[in-house]
Amino acid sequence: MDEIAVLGVGMHPWGKWGRNFVDYGVKAARDALQDAELDWNEVQFVSGANTVRCGYPGYVSGSTFAHALGFTGAQVASSYSACASGTTALATARAQILSGSCEVALVVGADTTPKGFLAPNQGERWDDPDWLRFKLMGVTNPTYFALYARRRMELYGATARDFAKVKVKNSQAGVNNPNARYRKAFTLEEIEASPVVASPLRLLEICATSDGGAAVVVSSVDYARRHGIANPVKIAGISTVLPRYPEQIIEMPYLATDSAAGTGWPDGGFRDTIPKRAYAESGLGPEDLDMAEVYDLSSAFELDWYEHLGLCKPGDAEKLLNDGETSLGGRVPVNASGGLGAFGEAVPAQALSQICELTWQLRGQSGPRQVQGARAGLCINYGLFGHGSCVILQR
Amino acid sequence: MAEKPKVPVIEGWFTLEPQPSLIGLRCGGCGSYFFPKTQASCINPTCGGGEFEEVELSRTGRIWSYTQNCYSPPAPYVSPDPFVPYTVAAVELEREKMVVLGQVSPDVDVEALEVGTEVELTIGTLYEDEQSEYLMWNWRPVAA
Ligand SMILES: [Zn+2]
């Protein structure tokens, strides 16, 4: 797959600011344009990552952000795929660029979130699995994270201490990130003293919901050179794959998995197949990665990702963690940004925030959290109802 | 005072008698099971399609994983006041080769559970209001 260039990135810091999501998106977009040394009027395509919690403007985010920046007659698209929305919006921009429909595009996502657990939509919704899981058995998002964590403990001998160590590592990284919401280095004692939300996971190990925004300016590699950037960070691979039937891991918001009775067990589940497409497009493998940003909905979940990405064999994630291989200074630092643990979820912005982090890292601009000599990085997450999201960047 | 009627919280998902069981579908074409029975046709992409047969799923399985929820979830879940923590188990059904969630019977100590524990389907009260008591399936360790 041909590469595209990252010309500029920008973010609005994550927090609980309580303002209109458009403000965050516009701030991130202006910063990305400034970073790209590009005038808004030069943007040929605007790709918005939608939010479903902020009313109609959120469903048409591309034009909402463009309107706030001033309509220019550029092309526009808006995408929603839950936590994968940012990657979907980026993939749409890439398709426009590689097809020759445009040369330079702005991708933006931002969200304003309510307090507490993410709740389903209101009303009686007996056909909506996301409503039914709460109605029938009170299965919250942390319930699913806890099911995965408990299974790791019993399958691989992971301990609650291992999970807390992930949080310690990521909170130390978050201290050095001015865009992170939580900039406090937590100790094992503090984490282990926080209340259990869904056993074995504690409050400090489960990601919060946040407000935030992120934006990326992308272009053809040729456009980047003409724009004066000889050696840009490049997007080498994107995965937006669906799961394959049958999926054997119980995923939000379902109450049952598929059945393998008619097909036998598949080789690998959804999370294993998401990175494969990005690896194939980029020609890189897990051994080529200098760093990764992963979807740490919980501390324990980060460990699952080491294995899904192929950074180690199933069951070896705790060893990788405890050997310091995924810490800053280790072989392949994971969540050097602080991860969702330090940020919290701002759904349509989080995949783009991962791109921002990798871009700064590959340019060597990350200050005290810099991964030394980073040349290739991967980011991954996935959206409710089966949206894969993985991007590989290299320089 | 007359006893309140006891009704399933959702219609058509499980039976109460003679023994409680989950009602699923089985595809005659490929043998896949589906629960809940919301599919109109087979979702196995390699299956050419076949007659759907309504079936009772296995009444026993083994715990794939479990957790105790210690905070009251948002509506539409109806929490007792004061809130009482509850346990959710993901249970693997051997014949169906699938995992089904359910609350664990409230009198079962979470410490008694392990991945692999054999459990059976029972019926419990999810909540009640002025009119009715609402029933839901639970998982419960099979008495040794
Ligand atoms: Zn079939």
Side-chain angles (χ1 to χ4, degrees):
Chain A
M1 181 65 77
D2 287 340
E3 296 179 323
I4 60 169
V6 179
L7 289 192
V9 293
M11 288 175 68
H12 185 290
W14 262 230
K16 213 70 174 175
W17 313 108
R19 298 211 314 275
N20 188 329
F21 78 99
V22 184
D23 294 355
Y24 313 139
V26 166
K27 195 274 182 191
R30 289 198 197 282
D31 283 5
L33 288 165
Q34 188 179 30
D35 185 40
E37 296 181 26
L38 193 76
D39 188 280
W40 159 239
N41 288 282
E42 295 176 82
V43 171
Q44 298 163 8
F45 177 69
V46 182
S47 194
N50 293 347
T51 165
V52 294
R53 277 189 282 267
C54 303
Y56 214 113
Y59 305 151
V60 291
S61 63
S63 66
T64 297
F65 295 129
H67 183 257
L69 290 160
F71 278 161
T72 60
Q75 299 191 85
V76 66
S78 303
S79 307
Y80 188 71
S81 48
C83 297
S85 299
T87 300
T88 306
L90 179 69
T92 305
R94 182 179 71 163
Q96 291 279 324
I97 290 166
L98 293 183
S99 72
S101 175
C102 76
E103 283 193 295
V104 58
L106 172 68
V107 188
V108 192
D111 206 3
T112 301
T113 52
K115 280 196 165 162
F117 285 130
L118 287 183
N121 289 326
Q122 300 291 310
E124 300 264 312
R125 304 167 61 86
W126 294 95
D127 292 330
D128 178 355
D130 195 43
W131 185 86
L132 283 170
R133 65 173 166 129
F134 288 93
K135 178 70 179 179
L136 299 182
M137 48 183 95
V139 179
T140 60
N141 293 6
T143 307
Y144 291 93
F145 314 155
L147 290 171
Y148 309 146
R150 172 65 65 188
R151 183 140 175 101
R152 270 208 84 76
M153 293 172 85
E154 302 230 8
L155 224 55
Y156 300 135
T159 63
R161 174 61 59 99
D162 292 325
F163 302 157
K165 283 181 183 168
V166 172
K167 176 67 182 185
V168 168
K169 169 178 78 70
N170 291 353
S171 71
Q172 284 168 351
V175 168
N176 294 317
N177 193 334
N179 288 310
R181 174 176 173 189
Y182 303 104
R183 299 185 63 189
K184 172 175 165 35
F186 287 101
T187 63
L188 280 176
E189 293 68 32
E190 287 170 311
I191 295 159
E192 290 171 353
S194 71
V196 173
V197 173
S199 64
L201 297 175
R202 295 175 180 277
L203 188 61
L204 286 174
E205 297 179 299
I206 292 170
C207 91
T209 60
S210 294
D211 297 3
V216 181
V217 177
V218 284
S219 75
S220 67
V221 174
D222 187 49
Y223 184 97
R225 294 214 172 97
R226 280 188 277 126
H227 194 65
I229 306 174
N231 183 24
V233 171
K234 285 172 288 204
I235 290 175
I238 301 180
S239 171
T240 55
V241 295
L242 288 166
R244 293 176 308 176
Y245 181 89
E247 177 56 41
Q248 289 304 302
I249 296 194
I250 184 80
E251 295 280 6
M252 283 192 288
Y254 298 110
L255 298 179
T257 62
D258 294 329
S259 149
T263 54
W265 302 103
D267 58 337
F270 183 35
R271 299 178 206 144
D272 300 307
T273 60
I274 295 169
K276 287 197 170 123
R277 164 108 201 168
Y279 283 138
E281 282 193 358
S282 66
L284 300 179
E287 66 285 355
D288 299 313
L289 300 179
D290 298 309
M291 61 179 302
E293 290 285 308
V294 309
Y295 193 41
D296 56 325
L297 291 167
S298 79
S299 54
F301 202 34
E302 175 171 313
L303 298 168
D304 287 346
W305 285 113
Y306 297 175
E307 297 162 7
H308 298 311
L309 291 179
L311 301 180
C312 65
K313 292 201 297 285
D316 284 354
E318 286 74 17
K319 182 172 186 331
L320 206 64
L321 172 80
N322 287 312
D323 288 352
E325 302 251 47
T326 57
S327 302
L328 207 54
R331 176 166 64 84
V332 53
V334 173
N335 285 335
S337 67
L340 289 180
F343 274 77
E345 285 204 271
V347 170
Q350 60 207 34
L352 295 174
S353 76
Q354 292 178 322
I355 307 282
C356 293
E357 174 68 12
L358 290 177
T359 299
W360 284 317
Q361 290 280 358
L362 299 186
R363 289 175 180 169
Q365 297 174 327
S366 295
R369 65 177 198 284
Q370 179 65 44
V371 176
Q372 293 307 322
R375 282 282 172 271
L378 171 151
C379 55
I380 192 160
N381 69 29
Y382 64 116
L384 208 64
F385 292 109
H387 279 279
S389 162
C390 179
V391 183
I392 293 177
L393 290 88
Q394 67 175 334
R395 190 167 184 208
Chain B
M1 206 174 90
E3 244 185 70
K4 280 190 253 185
K6 297 184 177 190
V7 298
V9 65
I10 186 163
E11 277 303 319
W13 283 39
F14 58 100
T15 60
L16 303 175
E17 295 170 331
Q19 282 189 307
S21 43
L22 302 174
I23 307 169
L25 295 168
R26 183 178 178 279
C27 173
C30 70
S32 294
Y33 290 84
F34 300 100
F35 179 80
K37 43 176 197 162
T38 47
Q39 309 303 337
S41 57
C42 187
I43 63 166
N44 172 5
T46 62
C47 174
E51 287 290 303
F52 267 22
E53 175 194 4
E54 196 167 288
V55 291
E56 293 188 349
L57 301 187
S58 301
R59 294 193 56 259
T60 59
R62 291 189 182 278
I63 290 184
W64 182 86
S65 192
Y66 63 95
T67 177
Q68 186 177 47
N69 269 345
C70 303
Y71 280 79
S72 178
Y77 188 74
V78 183
S79 288
D81 187 17
F83 171 75
V84 181
Y86 55 93
T87 301
V88 172
V91 173
E92 195 164 2
L93 307 180
E94 191 180 345
R95 182 188 60 181
E96 292 81 359
K97 290 192 165 65
M98 69 194 297
V99 170
V100 181
L101 297 182
Q103 286 192 4
V104 174
S105 301
D107 59 311
V108 174
D109 183 0
V110 65
E111 302 294 333
L113 303 178
E114 284 178 27
V115 167
T117 300
E118 190 178 14
V119 292
E120 65 181 334
L121 198 81
T122 59
I123 299 296
T125 298
L126 185 63
Y127 67 97
E128 50 190 290
D129 61 18
E130 313 260 288
Q131 288 83 41
S132 308
E133 199 174 316
Y134 296 94
L135 304 178
M136 186 49 195
W137 76 80
N138 287 161
W139 294 111
R140 180 184 188 81
V142 173

